[in-house]
Amino acid sequence: MKTDSTINSLDKTPDILKNDLDRNLCVCNEVVKSDIIKAITNGATTVEEVQKQTYATDGIGCCTRQVERLIETIHTPDIK
Ligand code: FES
């Protein structure tokens, strides 16, 4: 079940990034994609800020580029 904050976060997210929201984007720390999107739409603008809120990228860093791409896309309106 999605909470209001998750729904609001998704409103700000481009459709193409809304696939597999309930799957782990960060497999090292088992962080689902929707939690990372929520952190970004709630103000995280860097990988470090996302990591502080979710622990994503705090493993061996293999999801860092995916998190960077989500930050760029959500915070740069022209990319949408
Ligand atoms: S998948 Fe996120 S740090 Fe490895």
Side-chain angles (χ1 to χ4, degrees):
M1 186 164 149
K2 298 197 179 345
T3 64
D4 284 347
S5 67
T6 301
I7 292 167
N8 289 338
S9 299
L10 293 177
D11 286 347
K12 302 173 190 173
T13 306
D15 289 341
I16 196 166
L17 298 179
K18 293 180 182 174
N19 299 327
D20 301 326
L21 290 170
D22 295 329
R23 294 186 66 187
N24 288 340
L25 187 145
C26 179
V27 293
C28 293
N29 291 323
E30 298 184 350
V31 183
V32 295
K33 186 176 183 180
S34 62
D35 285 347
I36 294 169
I37 289 173
K38 195 184 315 178
I40 296 168
T41 56
N42 286 337
T45 58
T46 64
V47 169
E48 291 77 17
E49 289 171 356
V50 172
Q51 183 184 99
K52 200 178 288 184
Q53 290 186 42
T54 67
Y55 297 102
T57 74
D58 196 23
I60 58 173
C62 35
C63 62
T64 300
R65 183 63 195 125
Q66 290 172 280
V67 172
E68 287 173 344
R69 182 73 180 125
L70 281 173
I71 293 168
E72 289 167 9
T73 305
I74 292 169
H75 288 305
T76 309
D78 292 343
I79 292 177
K80 298 175 187 172

